[in-house]
Amino acid sequence: MLAEAVIELQNGNEESAVNKLNDISTKFDDTNSSELANLKLAKKYLNENDYSNAEKFFKKVVNDGGNIDFVLAAGFSGLGDCSFNSGNYSEAAKYYKKASNASPIESQKAEFLFSAAISYYEMNEVNEFKKILKTITDDYKETRINTKAEKLLATMK
């Protein structure tokens, strides 16, 4: 059912896909399939700038998504994106940090931290911004985002 919904989304049959994903979310609550269905729905709404619905489904991902680390990280990151795009930078930073903690992948951890840093920058909290960038340059040297962090830190001196 999940595969069918994904194929329908890819083929542009959004209404049918959304109905199937909602069915999975409701009927199979607290399963890996429902977590993935909620994540698909959340990302669909986020891409449409429908932050209210996106947030609703990202919260379901976070509340149900403890079974799969990358799904939980995606849920927190999505909540960060919703908050950031809504201008709530404090909430965004909090969620991006949680996403970093949840992710099992070093490069993702660094990217989520970078998003948190940008959120602090938007709040004009320069010390926290620098602190997170320094964490990236110290702890995630081998990641792609490290170069951006280094450049930003260099311009702040």
Side-chain angles (χ1 to χ4, degrees), residues 19 29 34 38 66 69 78 81 95 103-105 115 133:
N19 288 337
D29 191 30
S34 73
N38 289 330
D69 290 341
D81 291 345
Y95 285 128
S103 178
I105 301 167
S115 294
L133 292 179

Side-chain angles (χ1 to χ4, degrees), residues 36-128:
L36 294 172
N38 289 330
L39 188 57
K40 285 284 182 194
L41 285 165
K43 286 184 175 186
K44 175 199 173 303
Y45 290 122
L46 182 63
N47 288 336
E48 295 172 349
N49 299 325
D50 182 349
Y51 304 124
S52 177
N53 275 319
E55 183 177 11
K56 178 176 96 173
F57 284 101
F58 279 126
K59 282 185 177 178
K60 287 179 89 171
V61 169
V62 166
N63 292 334
D64 298 341
N67 300 331
I68 307 171
D69 290 341
F70 75 87
V71 173
L72 184 61
F76 283 128
S77 174
L79 285 169
D81 291 345
C82 289
S83 297
F84 189 91
N85 288 316
S86 298
N88 190 344
Y89 303 117
S90 177
E91 281 290 304
K94 177 182 84 171
Y95 285 128
Y96 290 135
K97 285 179 176 179
K98 286 183 176 188
S100 179
N101 289 332
S103 178
I105 301 167
E106 292 295 304
S107 60
Q108 276 188 341
K109 287 177 176 288
E111 300 242 355
F112 294 142
L113 284 176
F114 190 82
S115 294
I118 298 302
S119 298
Y120 284 112
Y121 182 82
E122 290 294 327
M123 292 184 288
N124 204 26
E125 292 188 24
V126 177
N127 289 335
E128 195 63 28

Side-chain angles (χ1 to χ4, degrees), residues 93 97 100 109-122 125-157:
K97 285 179 176 179
S100 179
K109 287 177 176 288
E111 300 242 355
F112 294 142
L113 284 176
F114 190 82
S115 294
I118 298 302
S119 298
Y120 284 112
Y121 182 82
E122 290 294 327
E125 292 188 24
V126 177
N127 289 335
E128 195 63 28
F129 172 71
K130 287 180 181 178
K131 179 180 164 187
I132 293 174
L133 292 179
K134 183 82 171 107
T135 298
I136 293 169
T137 61
D138 289 347
D139 298 344
Y140 301 99
K141 291 182 188 306
E142 302 302 317
T143 63
R144 184 176 58 95
I145 203 74
N146 180 52
T147 304
K148 283 185 180 180
E150 287 174 339
K151 286 179 182 176
L152 282 173
L153 274 175
T155 64
M156 302 295 289
K157 293 184 180 186

Side-chain angles (χ1 to χ4, degrees), residues 1-9 11 13-29 33-38 40-41 44-45 57 60:
M1 199 167 159
L2 182 59
E4 287 175 12
V6 170
I7 290 169
E8 290 202 27
L9 263 180
N11 290 333
N13 301 326
E14 282 194 24
E15 186 176 338
S16 177
V18 167
N19 288 337
K20 285 181 182 180
L21 291 170
N22 275 314
D23 281 349
I24 295 167
S25 176
T26 304
K27 292 178 184 173
F28 304 103
D29 191 30
S33 292
S34 73
E35 292 169 16
L36 294 172
N38 289 330
K40 285 284 182 194
L41 285 165
K44 175 199 173 303
Y45 290 122
F57 284 101
K60 287 179 89 171

